[in-house]
Amino acid sequence: NKFFLVGLAGEGDGDFMVYDGKEGGKYPMIERAYGNPGVNFNGKLVYAAQKEDGNYLLNITGEKSKEYGGVGEIKIINDKLTYVTMDKGKQKVVYDGKEGKEYSKVANIMDIGGKLVYWAKDDSGEFVVYGGIEQKHYPEIDWLRMGVVANKLVYVVSEKDEKNDLFSQKEFIVREK
């Protein structure tokens, strides 16, 4: 693996990336969500940048993606560029250049055994999308407590306890068989 020096530099009222000692294009803001402002994809720097009009795009070492209202998590899943986009109150995952289904919210994209996995929410509840297939819908899944144990997905589900008050919940762990 080749090491790349990546840094943000502010000059006036904008940001630009310094990549392998070279300055990139200037934007009002380089997205800093989830810690690292960029990822290495096939030897190219990938990062989200906000344009003057407020829209976001993915910059892949000079190549620019379609514009979105926002770009969130950026990861490499199964050697494919994967990221979350936001537009008009909806979110979706773009995986290997293909846009997925729109949801109210999407979070916690991960790779389990070469499959794309993430948490999603829509009007019917919260659920996990595993390898492109929506799993069982629940009232609430704690996406912050999703993880992998022995290469299997594990997550915590909360359901209302009808015998008590509306705010009581019982939690249980869901895992793959």
Side-chain angles (χ1 to χ4, degrees):
N1 287 348
K2 185 177 175 185
F3 176 78
F4 295 98
L5 174 64
V6 177
L8 288 172
E11 187 179 275
D13 59 348
D15 291 342
F16 58 92
M17 295 291 281
V18 177
Y19 176 65
D20 202 23
K22 298 180 186 105
E23 293 180 5
K26 188 174 175 182
Y27 296 97
M29 187 177 79
I30 304 291
E31 182 61 54
R32 294 170 182 86
Y34 307 99
N36 189 348
V39 298
N40 175 358
F41 178 62
N42 294 334
K44 295 182 178 183
L45 172 67
V46 179
Y47 62 94
Q50 183 183 38
K51 295 178 44 210
E52 294 290 336
D53 64 7
N55 284 330
Y56 285 78
L57 55 82
L58 216 58
N59 189 312
I60 307 169
T61 311
E63 302 167 28
K64 294 175 177 73
S65 74
K66 173 181 170 182
E67 292 183 24
Y68 300 98
V71 176
E73 258 180 292
I74 305 170
K75 290 189 175 180
I76 308 305
I77 305 287
N78 200 24
D79 296 324
K80 294 173 176 51
L81 182 60
T82 309
Y83 53 98
V84 176
T85 67
M86 300 89 155
D87 260 321
K88 299 177 184 139
K90 296 288 186 180
Q91 298 182 2
K92 63 185 159 197
V93 174
V94 178
Y95 178 66
D96 195 24
K98 297 172 188 78
E99 294 184 357
K101 183 178 174 182
E102 287 187 335
Y103 298 104
S104 302
K105 269 189 140 175
V106 171
N108 206 10
I109 56 177
M110 62 178 78
D111 179 347
I112 300 178
K115 296 200 182 233
L116 171 64
V117 178
Y118 56 92
W119 170 91
K121 178 180 182 176
D122 66 13
D123 293 338
S124 68
E126 299 181 10
F127 47 94
V128 170
V129 178
Y130 192 104
I133 299 169
E134 291 180 10
Q135 305 301 301
K136 183 177 177 180
H137 292 220
Y138 294 99
E140 183 179 343
I141 294 175
D142 185 348
W143 64 269
L144 291 172
R145 293 193 284 172
M146 275 178 64
V148 180
V149 175
N151 207 32
K152 304 238 185 237
L153 176 65
V154 179
Y155 52 97
V156 175
V157 173
S158 296
E159 289 187 326
K160 289 181 182 173
D161 185 347
E162 301 299 335
K163 293 179 183 172
N164 294 311
D165 62 40
L166 291 175
F167 299 103
S168 292
Q169 294 185 346
K170 56 184 177 183
E171 295 185 333
F172 56 95
I173 294 176
V174 176
R175 67 179 178 83
E176 290 180 273
K177 294 179 182 177

